[in-house]
Amino acid sequence: MAQLTMVEAINAALSDAMQTDEQVVVFGQDVARQGGVFRVTEGLQERFGDNRCFDMPLAESAIIGSAIGMAIRGFRPVPEIQFDGFTFPAFEQIASHLAKYRNRSRGLLAMPITVRVPSFGGIGSPEHHSESTETLWVHTAGLKVVVPSSAADAYSLLLDSIECDDPVIFLEPKRRYWAREEVVRGTRREPIGRAVVRRTGTTVSVVTYGGLVAVALEAARIAEEQHGWHLEVIDLRSLVPLDFDTVATSIIKTGRCVVFHEGPRTLGMGAEIAARAQEELFWNMEAPVLRATGFDTPYPPGRLEHLWLPGVDRLLDTVKQSLSYDRI
Amino acid sequence: MAQLTMVEAINAALSDAMQTDEQVVVFGQDVARQGGVFRVTEGLQERFGDNRCFDMPLAESAIIGSAIGMAIRGFRPVPEIQFDGFTFPAFEQIASHLAKYRNRSRGLLAMPITVRVPSFGGIGSPEHHSESTETLWVHTAGLKVVVPSSAADAYSLLLDSIECDDPVIFLEPKRRYWAREEVVRGTRREPIGRAVVRRTGTTVSVVTYGGLVAVALEAARIAEEQHGWHLEVIDLRSLVPLDFDTVATSIIKTGRCVVFHEGPRTLGMGAEIAARAQEELFWNMEAPVLRATGFDTPYPPGRLEHLWLPGVDRLLDTVKQSLSYDRI
Amino acid sequence: MDTLIENNLQFLQFIDENGVATRALERDKSLSNVLPGMYATMVAARQVDEEMINLQRQGQLALYPSARGQEGAQVGCASALRETDWLFPQYREIGVFLHRGIDVRGIGLAWRGTWHGGDGFLERAVAPMSIPIGTQALHAVGAAMASKWLADEGVTVAFIGDGATSEGDVHEAMNLAAVKKSPCIFFVQNNQWAISTPLADQTAAPSLASKGVGYGMSAVRVDGNDVVACHVAVSEAAARARSGQGPTLIEAVTYRLGAHTTADDPSRYRDDAEVTSWEARDPIARVKKFLETSGHWHDDLEVAALATAAELRHRLREAVVDAPDPSPLEFFDHVFTQPTAELESQRQLLAAELELEG
Amino acid sequence: MDTLIENNLQFLQFIDENGVATRALERDKSLSNVLPGMYATMVAARQVDEEMINLQRQGQLALYPSARGQEGAQVGCASALRETDWLFPQYREIGVFLHRGIDVRGIGLAWRGTWHGGDGFLERAVAPMSIPIGTQALHAVGAAMASKWLADEGVTVAFIGDGATSEGDVHEAMNLAAVKKSPCIFFVQNNQWAISTPLADQTAAPSLASKGVGYGMSAVRVDGNDVVACHVAVSEAAARARSGQGPTLIEAVTYRLGAHTTADDPSRYRDDAEVTSWEARDPIARVKKFLETSGHWHDDLEVAALATAAELRHRLREAVVDAPDPSPLEFFDHVFTQPTAELESQRQLLAAELELEG
Ligand SMILES: Cc1ncc(C[n+]2csc(CCOP(=O)(O)OP(=O)(O)O)c2C)c(N)n1
Ligand SMILES: Cc1ncc(C[n+]2csc(CCOP(=O)(O)OP(=O)(O)O)c2C)c(N)n1
Ligand SMILES: [Mg+2]
Ligand SMILES: [Mg+2]
């Protein structure tokens, strides 16, 4: 049992998947010779050879488009897009083909492709390197969307994603890349589509995912200490499928919910969770679902991102606001 | 005063804008020689010459990317993307540049570009010709998103969009292209950012836009006749800026709201309206905001689209469900 | 191989528009064996094309893009490949589909709007028709890369149009294929038009084949209305690809005799005279003349070709006219391997709606 | 114009790596007037580059992509243009920025992460740095189209890298520029690497200049470490563009002597020997030698160049070290002409947060 960073855990998952299944191929920009700009794919080319792990020309649409061709011939591609913002040149291949091929072929053709994307902000990157892209994929029917929050979860969810016959957009929170956790090679955690309550509580349900799970847990600790609030923290883990049951169970208990995500607020995941909560739990809500999120502005320059990103304070302010709704 | 189709009204707006402002240029695939596959741009090249209205090679990213370059040099481009689904190859230029240039230049550089897109379903088109793309643009900070519902509104909103110094994604509901309305050249209606109550009522607020406004009005007529329900029908007209005040005023009156849009339900505009309504009008809601929408599946083949698209029945079923919530 | 060009307008042709051989048919024998079959498929393609247009006019199909005039390019190409070679069509490849033996039913139903992508394609190693222009070229390259790893000697073909060459995806595809030496053929049907946009507004290149230079890719320009030239060019390209020599770009110079689709009115943007001049270069008439003058013709050939074509037209009509629609509940079946809970509940909603309606 | 090539490896060079003239400098006179100035700008670029790296190491900048080794290409290009010609850089063009007189402050603050895109660019007809590879090439074409309509004799330059040539946007840009005969120059700094990807994994083309063929575009391959060759090639291309003869593709063959950025460790993927061999071809040393041997050198030149460079380093350091951040409330100012109601309320939220924090 080893304490691995998320980078190492993802590397381990790729390596295990390639070992288990010869159809798994890993490729992208700078993934082979260099082992990835974050070293996530380090050593894979040496170990599995040029045909299983290779570099691609600087062309994102080509990375996804050729993966689709490989999948048609029975492979299980795991392409990497170097950064969140560079999924955009591949948007057409993802939305028009990756997401729709199974449907177009009336179920005959699977698209067992996992698109790995180092994602989200928090590490002071230049423009276009800190985008929250999940809304794009969640709204596009036909894609699964997985967002791990820790090393062990990343290991398990990535193996699940690669084995899954549906296309998965796998968003890796860069800011958690170097956080360590015990990872047991070969064991799995909850499958894709299951949210996990990371901390139980009774005051307010905090629904989050990815890099903000750790922030929410920290906020919950502080809230308990300073205010005596018992926050329940739910890690969604996958946004499609969405485990709304786990969210609902929590809300039924607390009556209150704050969604915590870092992308822009309008039509971020908070909107969908809020819509679902009031639709399905109208009589259970003691307060509206509130959103602690990024702003509806372009992602800011590195020096200012800490003020843009929702952190402990914005979350606790929002929790406080939720608590300001009195029972009638 | 003339009864114009929406196609004619848009053509009139383009023509008037080009007449008024020499910086307005119109271009895209098949817009010049042929006058557009829907004949929206008919006659513009003859009238204004090759430099003001011209055809482009088959490359959507080039259409938007070059528009950005023209805007940098002071022009006011009005590019057309031939169909909704073909905005995807231009996604990067739209999301990474069109939406962000003003911010990147700290306000120095405006992007007075109006991207016209024949949009949405309902006319039995092949795959990729019936997409509802609004979520993509609404979630991307920096874009205005305008969706006219009728000929006269299209005329006025398009002139407003072209005059506006911000980038506008102008989504034209193809299914209303041939519906006629009286259009008074040279006069304007409510500006971008103002919703309009198309029919007043007290029972339930129906919030919609684009091609579904007419369907909602038809449903309201039937609802009144058959059930004695008085539906209030709100036409949002622009999704960014969103006129939530008009929606709120209506909900405060009715206590109930159904959002009616044709794209997939998850993270469609219904999610945002629902989230906002419960956040801001928690105590006013007598029922949750419900959604009558398309499904979370790829857009279906032409022969089945009438069963996929939300129509009068799905809307009235949803209204009925809203009314099933009793006051406590 | 003397047919490959590097940046010039050299134009590979074996049979000219009068049906006269302009170049020695090295493989004369083998070609004369297959040419009658190719002729029959071209005739069938032309006839099925006409039937599709009729069916569209009768409201049975939503839309149809005619391949009239491009049968030589299409059948010449398809006939030079193995059945197992994966093909990635755009949407106008009726000649390719028929050569591969795809049931007209599955093609017709796609254009009826019964289901996207058609039916019976994958079983014949043909990808479903691809509407977003140029995108399928990348799928062809990925499949070619796969063939190389599988060492199955497979070749893939990306069918693209002159318009498609302007799209970024086609560039990325050609570049990738050349870098990876993938066994992929880019078969461009340069039919001179992309809807209303003529070639001159699409590119300033001296030829589309000349684009091969900038990718370090073999390229050849052929008379696309000469089925033999197309067949030979693709045969050679396929042989090269199979032997590890990488991709080839083939520009088949042809003409779209009909409208872009049944929704299009080409009189709005092009002269009749141009169409007439290309009608004189018809790929079908030309083979027939050649077969006649070269002594390979016999009337049974025409009779058989027309009979097969008639049968296909009949079968198409039977399969398509008033064809039943699938259950709309199928919407939810093919999104994922298993529908999500959310999809399940949406299915129930639709099921309830359908029940109400009876 | 004899320097334009069509598909070959011809390589335009005036001064070789030993500082020896390899070709008659036709414009000998005028060049010897400007060469000392170009030398000074190259020295300044090298020095500012070093200061940026220092500042990054000291935690004052978030990141910096060194242009070491590419000064000849950059200054040679920029010096051949008018001040009013619009430039569309990628991100590594420090030599271009300095030649244009952009304040080092505005460049430094961009890499500090104070504001995206930098400051002082637009005033000098330079677009903000563009991070998504290849995308800015299309902006350059649009601006060139605008210049043509404005009849302002303007030329635009798209700066792209060898890696960028693989992106679809660059293809669409070159094709569009050629079709519209736009006054646009595609200036490719082929520095052999795209992060860890060497040219051979990026393209199979015989040269990047050869890509001009498939667009019907003039193209030339120059020694990118020879500032004179770059200057001449761009001058000629600009003259062609201004006289309505359309775009030109210029491949400047150079080398990225440093890491991709300060976050990169090139020892992971390339040999020191390769770097050493290119160090011998340094563009700055070469001009100096040439000036010396051709009798244009005097020590004041070096003194003045170093003094200017030192001043720029100083100014950069002053401007950047512990530079204050803008108010985060500015987030809401530049999204639209006027903030929407929703943005207004988000601004209030942030203002309240900031107040709480004191
Ligand atoms: C990405 C994209 N943009 C636009 C269209 C609309 N469109 C359909 S066919 C066509 C022209 C295609 O021309 P070409 O590639 O020459 O093929 P042809 O139709 O001549 O066979 C266009 C612009 C599309 N289908 N996809
Ligand atoms: C669309 C896109 N994909 C990926 C990246 C990540 N990236 C940054 S620089 C770079 C290499 C660029 O190479 P080249 O064009 O040769 O320019 P150079 O860095 O050598 O100056 C890559 C892949 C990016 N910025 N944009
Ligand atoms: Mg064509
Ligand atoms: Mg490079």
Side-chain angles (χ1 to χ4, degrees):
Chain A
M1 278 186 290
Q3 292 280 333
L4 300 186
T5 63
M6 187 185 281
V7 164
E8 291 161 349
I10 295 171
N11 182 273
L14 291 170
S15 182
D16 290 359
M18 291 175 89
Q19 181 64 38
T20 312
D21 183 350
E22 286 215 327
Q23 308 306 321
V24 174
V25 284
V26 169
F27 53 97
Q29 290 154 15
D30 306 295
V31 301
R33 184 188 294 257
Q34 191 199 27
V37 294
F38 289 105
R39 314 207 174 167
V40 169
T41 51
E42 192 160 1
L44 298 178
Q45 186 176 48
E46 287 90 319
R47 179 153 173 221
F48 297 101
D50 276 12
N51 284 352
R52 305 283 308 283
C53 177
F54 50 89
D55 285 323
M56 289 286 274
L58 213 177
E60 287 75 12
S61 194
I63 291 173
I64 304 301
S66 64
I68 290 168
M70 296 172 206
I72 291 175
R73 294 305 317 281
F75 283 82
R76 206 167 269 280
V78 189
E80 172 182 298
I81 298 290
Q82 202 164 69
F83 284 93
D84 34 69
F86 310 136
T87 52
F88 298 169
F91 190 82
E92 181 182 37
Q93 286 289 345
I94 297 175
S96 294
H97 289 301
L98 186 61
K100 294 186 174 65
Y101 228 112
R102 173 185 283 278
N103 183 67
R104 183 180 305 141
S105 69
R106 232 165 153 171
L108 279 183
L109 204 58
M111 279 288 131
I113 297 175
T114 301
V115 183
R116 290 185 40 250
V117 192
S119 290
F120 309 110
I123 64 165
S125 300
E127 207 183 352
H128 312 288
H129 289 70
S130 306
E131 305 286 321
S132 289
T133 60
E134 64 271 35
T135 284
L136 306 177
W137 321 125
V138 170
H139 183 65
T140 301
L143 301 173
K144 289 188 171 167
V145 183
V146 174
V147 194
S149 65
S150 75
D153 238 31
Y155 174 81
S156 177
L157 285 168
L158 183 53
L159 284 172
D160 287 355
S161 299
I162 296 172
E163 285 168 11
C164 169
D165 276 346
D166 298 314
V168 175
I169 309 292
F170 193 85
L171 305 175
E172 302 169 0
K174 292 188 281 279
R175 61 157 98 177
R176 301 298 296 166
Y177 261 169
W178 304 282
R180 290 184 182 278
E181 193 182 22
E182 196 171 287
V183 178
V184 188
R185 292 282 276 260
T187 69
R188 301 290 172 94
R189 296 185 151 202
E190 295 77 4
I192 294 173
R194 281 267 285 284
V196 167
V197 177
R198 295 279 176 218
R199 176 185 176 120
T200 54
T202 49
T203 315
V204 174
S205 305
V206 175
V207 177
T208 187
Y209 50 92
L212 292 198
V213 171
V215 182
L217 289 171
E218 168 69 1
R221 202 186 48 69
I222 293 173
E224 180 123 24
E225 263 178 41
Q226 298 192 354
H227 307 286
W229 300 336
H230 305 284
L231 303 187
E232 178 143 307
V233 176
I234 297 169
D235 178 358
L236 289 176
R237 301 173 75 249
S238 69
L239 309 182
V240 178
L242 180 69
D243 179 2
F244 193 73
D245 284 350
T246 295
V247 174
T249 305
S250 178
I251 291 179
I252 288 168
K253 178 168 64 171
T254 63
R256 298 171 198 273
C257 177
V258 171
V259 187
F260 188 41
H261 65 71
E262 66 174 80
R265 173 189 181 87
T266 297
L267 284 176
M269 276 306 289
E272 184 61 30
I273 306 277
R276 290 286 296 271
Q278 54 100 46
E279 272 165 7
E280 298 178 31
L281 305 165
F282 188 67
W283 301 119
N284 299 92
M285 304 307 301
E286 311 212 355
V289 176
L290 297 180
R291 298 181 272 177
T293 69
F295 300 116
D296 288 321
T297 78
Y299 197 88
R303 303 246 350 139
L304 296 175
E305 71 175 349
H306 63 293
L307 297 168
W308 190 92
L309 287 169
V312 168
D313 289 350
R314 194 171 306 155
L315 175 55
L316 292 186
D317 286 353
T318 313
V319 165
K320 190 170 159 195
Q321 204 194 325
S322 170
L323 289 169
S324 75
Y325 284 77
D326 279 333
R327 286 160 205 265
I328 13 169
Chain B
M1 281 185 289
Q3 292 279 333
L4 301 186
T5 63
M6 188 185 281
V7 164
E8 291 161 348
I10 295 172
N11 181 273
L14 290 170
S15 182
D16 290 358
M18 292 175 88
Q19 180 65 37
T20 311
D21 183 350
E22 286 215 328
Q23 308 306 320
V24 175
V25 285
V26 169
F27 53 98
Q29 290 154 15
D30 307 296
V31 300
R33 185 187 293 257
Q34 190 199 28
V37 294
F38 290 105
R39 313 206 174 167
V40 169
T41 51
E42 192 160 0
L44 298 178
Q45 186 175 48
E46 286 91 321
R47 176 151 175 223
F48 298 101
D50 275 12
N51 285 350
R52 305 282 308 284
C53 176
F54 50 89
D55 285 323
M56 290 285 275
L58 214 177
E60 287 75 12
S61 194
I63 291 174
I64 304 301
S66 64
I68 290 169
M70 295 171 206
I72 290 175
R73 294 304 318 281
F75 283 83
R76 206 168 270 281
V78 189
E80 172 182 299
I81 298 291
Q82 202 164 70
F83 284 93
D84 34 69
F86 310 135
T87 53
F88 299 169
F91 190 82
E92 181 182 37
Q93 287 290 347
I94 297 175
S96 295
H97 289 303
L98 186 59
K100 293 185 175 64
Y101 229 112
R102 172 185 284 278
N103 183 66
R104 182 181 304 141
S105 68
R106 233 167 152 169
L108 279 182
L109 205 58
M111 280 288 133
I113 297 175
T114 300
V115 183
R116 289 185 41 251
V117 191
S119 290
F120 309 109
I123 63 165
S125 300
E127 207 183 351
H128 313 287
H129 289 69
S130 307
E131 305 287 320
S132 288
T133 59
E134 64 270 36
T135 284
L136 306 177
W137 321 125
V138 170
H139 183 65
T140 300
L143 301 173
K144 290 188 170 166
V145 184
V146 174
V147 194
S149 65
S150 74
D153 239 29
Y155 174 80
S156 178
L157 285 168
L158 182 53
L159 283 173
D160 287 355
S161 298
I162 295 173
E163 285 167 13
C164 169
D165 275 346
D166 298 314
V168 175
I169 309 291
F170 193 86
L171 304 176
E172 301 168 1
K174 292 188 279 281
R175 63 157 98 177
R176 301 299 294 167
Y177 261 171
W178 303 281
R180 291 184 180 277
E181 192 181 24
E182 196 169 289
V183 178
V184 187
R185 291 283 276 260
T187 68
R188 301 291 171 92
R189 295 184 153 204
E190 295 78 4
I192 294 174
R194 282 266 286 285
V196 167
V197 177
R198 295 279 176 218
R199 177 186 176 118
T200 55
T202 49
T203 316
V204 174
S205 306
V206 175
V207 177
T208 187
Y209 50 92
L212 293 198
V213 171
V215 182
L217 289 171
E218 168 70 0
R221 202 187 47 71
I222 294 172
E224 180 124 23
E225 262 178 44
Q226 298 193 352
H227 307 286
W229 302 334
H230 306 285
L231 303 188
E232 178 143 309
V233 176
I234 296 170
D235 178 358
L236 289 176
R237 302 174 74 248
S238 70
L239 308 181
V240 178
L242 181 68
D243 180 3
F244 193 73
D245 285 351
T246 295
V247 175
T249 305
S250 178
I251 292 180
I252 288 168
K253 177 168 64 173
T254 62
R256 300 171 198 272
C257 176
V258 171
V259 188
F260 187 43
H261 66 70
E262 66 174 80
R265 171 189 182 89
T266 297
L267 283 176
M269 274 308 287
E272 185 60 30
I273 306 277
R276 289 285 296 271
Q278 53 102 47
E279 274 165 6
E280 298 177 32
L281 304 165
F282 189 66
W283 302 118
N284 299 93
M285 304 306 302
E286 311 212 355
V289 176
L290 297 179
R291 299 182 272 179
T293 69
F295 299 116
D296 288 321
T297 77
Y299 197 88
R303 302 243 357 134
L304 295 175
E305 70 176 351
H306 64 293
L307 297 168
W308 189 93
L309 287 168
V312 167
D313 290 349
R314 194 171 304 153
L315 176 56
L316 293 186
D317 286 354
T318 313
V319 165
K320 189 171 162 196
Q321 205 194 323
S322 170
L323 289 169
S324 74
Y325 284 78
D326 278 334
R327 286 160 206 263
I328 13 171
Chain C
M1 181 162 65
D2 67 342
T3 56
L4 292 182
I5 58 146
E6 301 273 326
N7 178 29
N8 62 36
L9 297 174
Q10 182 187 324
F11 186 68
L12 181 67
Q13 191 193 58
F14 288 85
I15 303 177
D16 75 9
E17 52 194 89
N18 301 314
V20 179
T22 53
R23 189 174 177 129
L25 276 106
E26 295 155 35
R27 331 178 172 197
D28 226 338
K29 277 249 175 58
S30 63
L31 262 173
S32 58
N33 287 341
V34 292
L35 211 48
M38 282 153 73
Y39 173 74
T41 309
M42 287 164 73
V43 168
R46 175 75 51 100
Q47 298 257 338
V48 168
D49 204 85
E50 281 172 11
E51 191 65 45
M52 291 274 192
I53 294 171
N54 289 344
L55 286 163
Q56 196 281 334
R57 292 224 178 94
Q58 291 157 18
Q60 292 292 336
L61 302 185
L63 191 80
Y64 180 73
S66 166
R68 188 182 192 90
Q70 301 179 218
E71 298 90 348
Q74 298 183 358
V75 175
C77 175
S79 61
L81 298 162
R82 298 184 186 162
E83 296 197 317
T84 47
D85 290 331
W86 271 83
L87 310 181
F88 293 82
Q90 201 152 286
Y91 44 72
R92 201 186 293 286
E93 280 72 35
I94 189 74
V96 174
F97 304 150
L98 294 187
H99 185 276
R100 264 297 161 96
I102 296 173
D103 189 346
V104 284
R105 180 186 157 276
I107 309 165
L109 292 183
W111 293 114
R112 180 167 166 85
T114 300
W115 202 267
H116 299 309
D119 209 8
F121 285 63
L122 293 170
E123 299 86 326
R124 304 279 171 166
V126 181
M129 290 183 273
S130 178
I131 307 281
I133 297 295
T135 53
Q136 74 282 3
L138 284 164
H139 309 164
V141 179
M145 291 166 76
S147 259
K148 207 167 157 185
W149 304 328
L150 295 166
D152 65 2
E153 286 206 333
V155 165
T156 69
V157 181
F159 290 89
I160 52 180
D162 44 306
T165 63
S166 297
E167 285 281 6
D169 272 14
V170 168
H171 164 75
E172 297 190 11
M174 292 197 193
N175 190 54
L176 177 61
V179 167
K180 303 289 183 194
K181 278 204 166 223
S182 306
C184 183
I185 297 170
F186 298 92
F187 189 77
V188 184
Q189 291 174 72
N190 173 5
N191 66 6
Q192 313 300 329
W193 292 90
I195 309 186
S196 74
T197 307
L199 189 65
D201 286 352
Q202 201 69 251
T203 179
S207 70
L208 295 175
S210 70
K211 289 176 183 287
V213 177
Y215 301 109
M217 190 189 299
S218 303
V220 58
R221 190 160 187 261
V222 304
D223 182 341
N225 285 7
D226 173 1
V227 69
V228 175
C230 294
H231 182 91
V232 170
V234 174
S235 299
E236 293 186 359
R240 285 172 48 84
R242 285 191 226 288
S243 66
Q245 293 175 76
T248 301
L249 167 60
I250 299 174
E251 176 187 2
V253 180
T254 179
Y255 194 78
R256 192 196 80 205
L257 287 174
H260 170 64
T261 67
T262 47
D264 177 49
D265 170 12
S267 74
R268 290 170 59 83
Y269 54 78
R270 71 179 184 187
D271 282 343
D272 278 354
E274 184 182 290
V275 183
T276 313
S277 82
W278 279 92
E279 264 162 359
R281 293 177 241 177
D282 192 293
I284 301 183
R286 173 184 316 202
V287 190
K288 185 171 174 181
K289 273 191 219 142
F290 173 77
L291 287 171
E292 283 170 356
T293 54
S294 65
H296 294 292
W297 185 258
H298 40 98
D299 289 343
D300 293 359
L301 226 158
E302 183 83 341
V303 173
L306 289 175
T308 309
E311 205 181 296
L312 285 172
R313 285 182 83 137
H314 178 73
R315 168 148 181 78
L316 172 64
R317 177 162 281 277
E318 286 287 295
V320 157
V321 171
D322 300 333
D325 297 328
S327 161
L329 294 178
E330 218 185 303
F331 296 155
F332 306 97
D333 290 345
H334 311 307
V335 186
F336 296 119
T337 325
Q338 299 288 333
T340 61
E342 177 61 22
L343 282 169
E344 219 22 276
S345 87
Q346 293 182 12
R347 180 210 294 274
Q348 278 160 30
L349 182 81
L350 180 58
E353 284 181 8
L354 296 172
E355 217 151 276
L356 269 184
E357 283 181 13
Chain D
M1 183 161 61
D2 66 342
T3 57
L4 292 182
I5 59 150
E6 302 273 325
N7 179 29
N8 62 34
L9 297 173
Q10 181 188 326
F11 186 68
L12 181 66
Q13 190 192 57
F14 287 86
I15 304 178
D16 76 8
E17 52 195 89
N18 302 312
V20 178
T22 53
R23 190 174 176 127
L25 275 106
E26 296 155 33
R27 330 177 172 197
D28 226 336
K29 277 250 176 54
S30 61
L31 263 173
S32 57
N33 288 340
V34 292
L35 211 50
M38 281 152 74
Y39 173 75
T41 309
M42 288 163 73
V43 169
R46 175 74 52 98
Q47 298 258 339
V48 167
D49 205 85
E50 281 173 10
E51 192 64 44
M52 291 273 192
I53 295 171
N54 289 344
L55 286 163
Q56 196 280 334
R57 293 222 178 94
Q58 292 157 20
Q60 292 293 337
L61 302 184
L63 191 82
Y64 181 72
S66 167
R68 189 182 192 89
Q70 301 179 218
E71 298 89 348
Q74 297 183 357
V75 174
C77 174
S79 61
L81 298 162
R82 297 185 187 162
E83 300 197 314
T84 46
D85 290 331
W86 272 83
L87 310 181
F88 293 81
Q90 201 152 286
Y91 43 72
R92 201 187 292 287
E93 280 72 34
I94 188 74
V96 174
F97 303 151
L98 294 187
H99 186 276
R100 264 298 161 95
I102 295 174
D103 189 346
V104 283
R105 179 185 158 276
I107 310 165
L109 292 183
W111 293 114
R112 181 170 166 84
T114 299
W115 202 267
H116 300 310
D119 209 8
F121 285 63
L122 293 170
E123 298 85 326
R124 303 279 169 167
V126 181
M129 290 183 273
S130 179
I131 306 282
I133 297 294
T135 52
Q136 74 282 4
L138 284 164
H139 309 164
V141 180
M145 291 166 76
S147 259
K148 207 167 156 184
W149 303 328
L150 294 166
D152 66 1
E153 286 207 337
V155 165
T156 69
V157 181
F159 290 89
I160 52 180
D162 45 307
T165 62
S166 297
E167 284 283 7
D169 272 13
V170 169
H171 164 75
E172 296 189 9
M174 291 196 194
N175 189 55
L176 177 60
V179 167
K180 302 289 183 194
K181 279 205 165 219
S182 306
C184 182
I185 298 171
F186 298 91
F187 190 76
V188 184
Q189 291 174 72
N190 173 4
N191 66 5
Q192 313 300 327
W193 292 91
I195 309 186
S196 73
T197 308
L199 189 65
D201 286 353
Q202 200 70 249
T203 180
S207 70
L208 294 175
S210 70
K211 289 177 182 286
V213 176
Y215 301 108
M217 191 189 299
S218 303
V220 57
R221 191 161 186 259
V222 304
D223 183 342
N225 285 7
D226 172 1
V227 69
V228 174
C230 293
H231 181 92
V232 170
V234 175
S235 299
E236 293 186 359
R240 284 172 50 81
R242 283 189 227 289
S243 67
Q245 292 174 75
T248 302
L249 167 59
I250 299 175
E251 176 187 4
V253 180
T254 179
Y255 194 78
R256 192 195 80 205
L257 287 173
H260 169 65
T261 66
T262 48
D264 177 48
D265 171 11
S267 74
R268 291 168 59 82
Y269 55 77
R270 72 179 182 186
D271 282 344
D272 278 352
E274 183 183 291
V275 182
T276 313
S277 83
W278 279 92
E279 264 161 359
R281 293 179 240 177
D282 192 292
I284 300 183
R286 175 185 311 204
V287 190
K288 186 172 173 180
K289 273 190 220 143
F290 174 76
L291 287 171
E292 282 169 356
T293 55
S294 65
H296 294 293
W297 184 258
H298 40 98
D299 288 344
D300 293 359
L301 227 158
E302 183 83 341
V303 174
L306 289 175
T308 309
E311 204 181 295
L312 286 173
R313 286 183 83 137
H314 177 74
R315 169 149 181 79
L316 172 63
R317 179 161 280 277
E318 287 286 295
V320 156
V321 172
D322 299 334
D325 297 329
S327 161
L329 295 177
E330 219 186 302
F331 296 155
F332 306 97
D333 291 344
H334 311 308
V335 186
F336 296 118
T337 324
Q338 299 288 332
T340 61
E342 177 61 21
L343 282 170
E344 219 23 276
S345 86
Q346 294 183 12
R347 181 211 293 273
Q348 279 160 29
L349 181 81
L350 180 59
E353 284 181 9
L354 296 172
E355 219 151 274
L356 270 183
E357 284 183 11

